[in-house]
Amino acid sequence: MRTIGHWIDGEPVDGTSGQYGPVYNPATGEQSARVALASAREVDRAVAAAGEAYRSWRHVSLARRTAILFRYRELLDAHRDELAALITAEHGKVRSDALGEVARGMEIVELACGITEKLKGELSTQVSQRVDVASIRQPLGVVAGITPFNFPAMVPMWMFPLAIACGNAFVLKPSEKDPSAARRLAELAAEAGLPDGVLNVVNGDRAAVDRLLEHPEVAAVSFVGSTPIARRIHLKAVEHGKRVQALGGAKNHMLVLPDADLDHAADSAVNAAYGSAGERCMAVSVVVAVGGIGDELVKRIAERAGRLRIGPGDDPASEMGPLITAEHRDTVASYVHGAREQGAEVVVDGTGYTVEGYEKGFFTGVSLLDKVTPEMDAYRDEIFGPVLCVVRAGTYDEAMELVNSSPWGNGAAIFTRDGGAARRFQMEVEAGMVGVNVPIPVPVGHHSFGGWKDSLFGDHHVYGNDGVHFYTRGKVVTTRWPDPADSGGIDLGFPGNH
């Protein structure tokens, strides 16, 4: 069976821990490979390689760094089909979704290509007699990224391109469920000319994560995953004196006002709830129907949900693929069954769904739950699957109270033709990313991604200006160059501005 190893100091490295994890093809349910799980010693080796590379990489000119990143971007473009195939084979998402993931990741590589502009400092001249003050930003050193299974290429590219563009060296710990895309990203970076050790990939489980969080040479950690793990990552990283950005889970709401285009709203709800089988932290998981539109909106969503084509991700006819594991499929089904027991109306029940010829695959159909209330488990928990809850609200104010009472604050959307209502919503909603007639408001690369409340632990969002600031630290330099004709003399007083 094929073994997926690590990438350390510019070359593939077989695992030495003796521990391996299974990698499945979710469409067939069969194990396709095994992945080496790193021990603390292997993590130490990757950090040491990064530390050694950082000593010289930090001094490499911005012109050379960006030249490498431009070549990297071209290689990613040339290999986008290959990367998408790797994603589909191990995650299960359909090819169009996998290609979209690669494209959105490449946005951040393109942002990193403009790092010269992002790292421009500030200069104030003559703040005092012949005294100038400059503000500059410098890299942190060795930084690490811990990324989830649902975007095995895009989320790593949210992190390491900016980090290395800023002059850091990077250790990536991708999800052990679908590790091949991350490994290929590192190989292509080496092909683009990135020096050995600047980007390293170690596969692993909690042991590898804990060692990265504890390692004294790791200056900062970026994480994307569930809220409970994000909270633990944040606490442990801070305990060990590290800078940390830990993005957690979500329960994203989509408000539909009575004046909205219901066909557009229904299309958007289906796309945002069931795309990538709901395994997105920005998926819409709750539609709030405001006023008397609930019955008609649910009817239109159900009609569209029933027409979705579910199948293996490499089939061009498939619109939705399988879930990542059998265990997760069963967990998702339990929420649908539990919602019925707790009083919700199951309008569409996707549990028990199978695909002909792929009966062992980790497939589920889409589910639509109506008349859901905030006390139900399907509403309170992040299901991370193709389950859409519909909640009824009498007024806009009632709907906003529902949204803002959520412990999460990742994303929220409103569908309306009323500009005043939309503006009020974007000012009042307690979420980090807001869509107006846009169901999945994931920012483009020049703006930062991140939520509020239990969707973010730490001070910085990822990529954009926040990403640059996270991977650098500020320094203020005050200089005085006396006129050669002026000896200056001795003055023991406290320096003043005059």
Side-chain angles (χ1 to χ4, degrees):
M1 179 169 292
R2 181 171 64 96
T3 299
I4 303 166
H6 317 296
W7 182 269
I8 299 175
D9 204 14
E11 63 181 7
V13 174
D14 294 333
T16 60
S17 70
Q19 300 296 314
Y20 299 91
V23 177
Y24 292 98
N25 180 336
T28 64
E30 297 175 351
Q31 184 175 347
S32 59
R34 65 175 189 170
V35 59
L37 303 178
S39 65
R41 181 177 298 179
E42 289 166 305
V43 173
D44 288 350
R45 178 179 172 185
V47 173
E52 182 62 27
Y54 170 69
R55 294 172 60 185
S56 56
W57 177 248
R58 66 176 302 188
H59 298 298
V60 169
S61 70
L62 293 179
R64 184 181 168 206
R65 291 183 210 167
T66 54
I68 292 171
L69 285 163
F70 272 114
R71 287 197 294 271
Y72 186 47
R73 193 266 177 207
E74 292 306 307
L75 284 170
L76 291 172
D77 188 39
H79 291 268
R80 64 170 68 209
D81 287 332
E82 175 194 353
L83 289 166
L86 290 173
I87 295 166
T88 295
E90 293 182 353
H91 175 273
K93 65 179 64 176
V94 299
R95 183 175 181 275
S96 60
D97 199 18
L99 284 169
E101 172 181 347
V102 175
R104 292 306 300 268
M106 286 171 58
E107 281 186 9
I108 312 307
V109 178
E110 292 161 1
L111 177 69
C113 288
I115 197 63
T116 302
E117 175 69 21
K118 295 295 183 182
L119 288 183
K120 280 169 54 176
E122 297 177 324
L123 174 65
S124 298
T125 60
Q126 200 67 5
V127 298
S128 186
Q129 190 65 26
R130 292 191 296 274
V131 175
D132 302 331
V133 179
S135 297
I136 62 175
R137 302 201 68 83
Q138 293 184 310
L140 303 177
V142 178
V143 297
I146 303 165
T147 57
F149 72 83
N150 59 324
F151 288 100
M154 184 183 74
V155 174
M157 285 194 280
W158 282 1
M159 300 175 185
F160 73 78
L162 271 183
I164 63 178
C166 290
N168 302 283
F170 203 91
V171 179
L172 172 64
K173 206 300 287 182
S175 171
E176 67 276 18
K177 293 182 174 66
D178 46 7
S180 291
R183 165 71 177 268
R184 188 65 180 126
L185 291 175
E187 293 172 350
L188 292 173
E191 188 176 337
L194 190 69
D196 295 347
V198 176
L199 175 60
N200 305 273
V201 179
V202 288
N203 300 302
D205 51 16
R206 180 167 177 167
V209 170
D210 285 345
R211 183 54 185 157
L212 285 172
L213 297 176
E214 297 165 358
H215 200 294
E217 299 303 317
V218 175
V221 175
S222 302
F223 171 82
V224 175
S226 69
T227 288
I229 300 177
R231 183 181 286 111
R232 186 182 79 85
I233 294 283
H234 179 251
L235 291 174
K236 194 173 184 68
V238 170
E239 177 187 351
H240 289 275
K242 304 186 189 312
R243 183 178 292 191
V244 59
Q245 52 180 186
L247 279 68
K251 198 74 177 179
N252 303 312
H253 291 67
M254 172 179 151
L255 269 66
V256 182
L257 299 191
D259 70 323
D261 180 332
L262 291 190
D263 283 324
H264 180 216
D267 287 342
S268 298
V270 169
N271 293 339
Y274 303 135
S276 196
E279 292 175 327
R280 294 171 174 162
C281 67
M282 285 297 288
V284 166
S285 49
V286 179
V287 166
V288 184
V290 181
I293 62 170
D295 289 346
E296 183 61 28
L297 180 59
V298 168
K299 176 185 175 183
R300 298 188 193 196
I301 293 173
E303 289 172 350
R304 289 159 171 80
R307 296 196 297 266
L308 290 177
R309 298 187 298 273
I310 301 171
D314 58 2
D315 183 346
S318 299
E319 295 174 296
M320 190 185 94
L323 294 174
I324 188 68
T325 64
E327 292 79 11
H328 185 49
R329 176 198 60 200
D330 296 342
T331 298
V332 170
S334 72
Y335 279 102
V336 178
H337 301 323
R340 178 183 284 111
E341 295 169 358
Q342 292 174 346
E345 179 182 341
V346 181
V347 179
V348 179
D349 186 348
T351 62
Y353 185 92
T354 58
V355 176
E356 185 178 356
Y358 294 87
E359 287 79 10
K360 294 182 179 180
F362 309 143
F363 287 97
T364 185
V366 302
S367 294
L368 176 62
L369 312 178
D370 191 16
K371 300 182 175 64
V372 175
T373 62
E375 298 77 24
M376 297 179 183
D377 292 336
Y379 178 87
R380 291 188 299 106
D381 297 343
E382 183 182 30
I383 300 175
F384 219 61
V387 179
L388 178 61
C389 299
V390 177
V391 180
R392 310 294 184 101
T395 65
Y396 169 87
D397 288 336
E398 181 184 336
M400 285 300 298
E401 175 64 25
L402 183 77
V403 176
N404 287 342
S405 296
S406 172
W408 288 291
N410 211 37
I414 187 170
F415 279 71
T416 179
R417 292 186 175 95
D418 187 333
R423 186 178 187 280
R424 181 181 173 188
F425 176 81
Q426 72 185 45
M427 299 299 291
E428 293 178 345
V429 71
E430 296 178 9
M433 293 167 285
V434 180
V436 176
N437 298 317
V438 175
I440 306 179
V442 175
V444 296
H446 291 277
H447 295 270
S448 299
F449 178 104
W452 290 8
K453 300 189 286 189
D454 281 357
S455 294
L456 175 71
F457 300 87
D459 297 324
H460 290 89
H461 293 179
V462 294
Y463 64 78
N465 287 334
D466 267 23
V468 174
H469 289 166
F470 180 77
Y471 291 123
T472 57
R473 51 187 171 182
K475 179 181 286 185
V476 179
V477 181
T478 304
T479 59
R480 181 178 188 272
W481 297 105
D483 191 307
D486 182 5
S487 64
I490 296 174
D491 182 357
L492 300 185
F494 190 80
N497 295 327
H498 51 262

